[in-house]
Amino acid sequence: MLDCRLDEEHEELRRTVAKFARDVVAPAIAEHYENHTFPYELVREMGRLGLFGLPFPEEYGGMGGGYPALCVALEELARVDSSVAITLEAGVSLGAMPVFRFGTEEQRRRWLPRLCAGQALAAFGLTEPGGGSDAGATRTTARYDVTADEWVLDGTKCFITNAGTDITSLITVTAVTGTAPDGSKEISTILVPADTPGLTVGRPYSKVGWSASDTRELSFTGCRVPGANLLGQRGRGYAQFLSILDEGRIAIAALATGLAQGCVDESVRYASEREAFGRPIAANQAIAFKIADMQTRTHLARLAWRDAAGRMSRGEPFKQAAAIAKLYSSEAAVDNARQATQIHGGYGFMNEYPVARFWRDSKILEIGEGTSEIQRILIARSLGLPQPG
C-alpha cells in the first residue's frame, strides 16, 4: 500500500525549514526580488542549516538525509519564495550531484565539502542557444590536447542558474568530445572551475520571475582545464545528464508543490480577512470553491513527488513517476498562481503581495528541467506508445 507520509526525521526537517522560511526568508526576500539582488545572507544561513548537504554522505560534509530530504526542504522554501528554493535546487541536484554520482574520489573530496556547506555553489552547463529541449544538439566542444593533458573548451551555454555569483566555484559542462562508433556525437562532461581563463560569464538575465536568483549565459573560448577534470567515463555525458534530469524533476516537482501550497496559504489568509458587501469574501461559494480546488491540486502534486522520491530511494524504476510528478505539479502551480491572483483582485497585481511573486515565478516550472511537452513524451514512451518520426 502506498504511504506518502513523512517519517519522524523528515517531519522534523520540514518543521525546521518551514520556520526558517517564515522567520528568515519571508521578511528579507521581497527587497531582493524587487532589486534583482542575490540573497547571499540567506544562502549562508541555508548553508549553516546544512540544506546544501542534505542528500550527501557525511564523509563529504553532507547530512546523509538522501534525496527525499532535499525535496522536503525545497517544498517548504518554495512555499515562501522560489528564488531561494531554485538556488538550493540547482546548487544541489544539478550542481553538486553530478560530482557525487559520477566523480572520482579525488573530485568528490575536492569539491563536495564546500558545496555541502553552502560556502560555494556549482552550476550545470547543459542548455545551449538554439538547443532548447534537444539537449543532444550540443555544439560546445572539448578537444583533448594530448601534449598538455588538457581539455580545451569552446562554445556557449545559456539559462544557467548559479553561474555568476560571488561564490560560484564550479561549472559542470556537457561538450562534444568526438564521434561515437555509430557516427553520433560523443558527449562528455567536463568540470570547469569558475575562475578558469577562457570562461566568460555574461550579465544577469532580466527575467519575468525568479528575480532573486542568478541566471546567466556562459561562453568558453580556448578554455583549458586539466585532463583529470573529465567527469565520469568519456562519451557517457549524455547518459549522465539524462539521469541527473530524471532526479531533478522530482526536486522541481517538490518546489512546484511548495509554490502551489503558498498560493493556498495566501488565498486563505486574504479571503478570510478581506470583506466585501459586509462579509469576508471567503464566505462566497465562488471563492471557497476556488481555494478548495487549489488545495486539491496541491495535495495531489505532493503525493506525486513523494511517490517518485520513494521509488527512487528504494532503487525502483522512477522515470515515469518523476515525469508525472513534474508535469502535474508544475501545471498545478501555474493554475494555483492564476487563481490566487484572481482571488486577491487588484492587490494580486501588486508586488508587495507574495502572490504576485508566485504568479511571476510559476510559469518557468512548466519549462525548466524539461518542458511539459517533454514530460508528456516521456510518459507516452514509458507506456510503449509509438513515437513521432
Side-chain angles (χ1 to χ4, degrees):
M1 181 180 294
L2 178 66
D3 185 355
C4 289
R5 292 174 297 179
L6 298 180
D7 59 26
E8 184 177 344
E9 183 178 352
H10 286 109
E11 178 57 30
E12 182 179 354
L13 170 67
R14 189 199 67 77
R15 288 194 298 265
T16 299
V17 179
K19 186 177 188 304
F20 170 75
R22 289 193 309 268
D23 296 349
V24 181
V25 176
I29 197 60
E31 183 176 355
H32 283 294
Y33 201 95
E34 190 69 21
N35 295 326
H36 298 260
T37 54
F38 189 76
Y40 288 101
E41 76 282 6
L42 298 179
V43 171
R44 283 193 294 270
E45 287 298 321
M46 288 193 290
R48 292 190 188 103
L49 284 174
L51 302 189
F52 285 94
L54 278 172
F56 302 113
E58 294 179 10
E59 62 184 296
Y60 302 117
M63 301 293 287
Y67 211 85
L70 171 65
C71 295
V72 168
L74 288 171
E75 179 179 335
E76 291 303 321
L77 287 173
R79 194 167 177 171
V80 171
D81 177 71
S82 290
S83 291
V84 170
I86 196 59
T87 298
L88 176 63
E89 191 277 337
V92 176
S93 72
L94 298 182
M97 192 59 72
V99 178
F100 175 65
R101 294 285 189 224
F102 311 114
T104 63
E105 190 63 20
E106 181 181 352
Q107 289 169 339
R108 291 175 179 176
R109 295 196 178 279
R110 176 184 177 185
W111 296 107
L112 288 180
R114 294 188 70 234
L115 295 176
C116 287
Q119 297 169 353
L121 290 174
F124 188 49
L126 170 63
T127 306
E128 299 192 0
S133 296
D134 185 8
T138 299
R139 294 185 178 181
T140 296
T141 61
R143 174 179 58 85
Y144 182 60
D145 183 339
V146 178
T147 303
D149 186 24
E150 292 179 328
W151 293 100
V152 186
L153 287 86
D154 291 279
T156 303
K157 301 291 183 176
C158 63
F159 310 140
I160 310 303
T161 305
N162 295 341
T165 74
D166 293 344
I167 58 173
T168 299
S169 65
L170 178 68
I171 316 292
T172 303
V173 181
T174 55
V176 178
T177 53
T179 303
D182 63 359
S184 63
K185 295 177 180 178
E186 176 194 83
I187 298 177
S188 304
T189 309
I190 312 292
L191 298 176
V192 181
D195 59 355
T196 304
L199 166 60
T200 302
V201 180
R203 294 172 58 86
Y205 288 109
S206 176
K207 297 174 292 187
V208 172
W210 288 357
S211 296
S213 71
D214 180 79
T215 316
R216 306 184 190 228
E217 182 176 271
L218 300 173
S219 62
F220 305 87
T221 306
C223 180
R224 289 178 171 267
V225 299
N229 282 27
L230 176 69
L231 184 65
Q233 183 180 344
R234 177 170 177 169
R236 293 290 297 168
Y238 190 81
Q240 288 172 4
F241 72 66
L242 285 181
S243 68
I244 289 296
L245 289 177
D246 283 340
E247 296 179 2
R249 285 167 184 144
I250 304 175
I252 289 293
L255 191 157
T257 301
L259 188 151
Q261 185 66 64
C263 290
V264 175
D265 297 342
E266 294 299 322
S267 296
V268 169
R269 182 180 302 112
Y270 181 81
S272 299
E273 297 172 354
R274 173 77 163 92
E275 292 192 356
F277 305 106
R279 62 178 183 172
I281 62 172
N284 297 314
Q285 201 172 67
I287 299 296
F289 281 11
K290 282 183 186 293
I291 296 175
D293 287 342
M294 291 163 62
Q295 180 61 26
T296 299
R297 285 190 288 267
T298 303
H299 179 72
L300 294 175
R302 182 173 298 115
L303 292 178
W305 81 249
R306 289 186 182 179
D307 172 54
R311 292 173 187 270
M312 177 183 166
S313 296
R314 294 189 297 270
E316 301 171 2
F318 67 92
K319 190 181 186 76
Q320 184 197 73
I324 290 173
K326 202 277 183 180
L327 173 63
Y328 184 82
S329 62
S330 62
E331 295 191 347
V334 171
D335 289 341
N336 278 18
R338 184 177 64 250
Q339 294 300 342
T341 303
Q342 190 71 20
I343 289 168
H344 280 68
Y347 291 108
F349 207 63
M350 301 296 112
N351 283 327
E352 61 262 33
Y353 280 78
V355 294
R357 291 203 311 271
F358 295 158
W359 185 67
R360 291 165 63 181
D361 290 341
S362 63
K363 182 57 190 174
I364 188 61
L365 297 171
E366 295 182 316
I367 299 171
E369 294 199 37
T371 63
S372 292
E373 290 78 12
I374 290 296
Q375 305 315 308
R376 289 183 166 91
I377 288 174
L378 292 174
I379 295 165
R381 183 180 297 160
S382 72
L383 296 173
L385 296 175
Q387 297 301 299

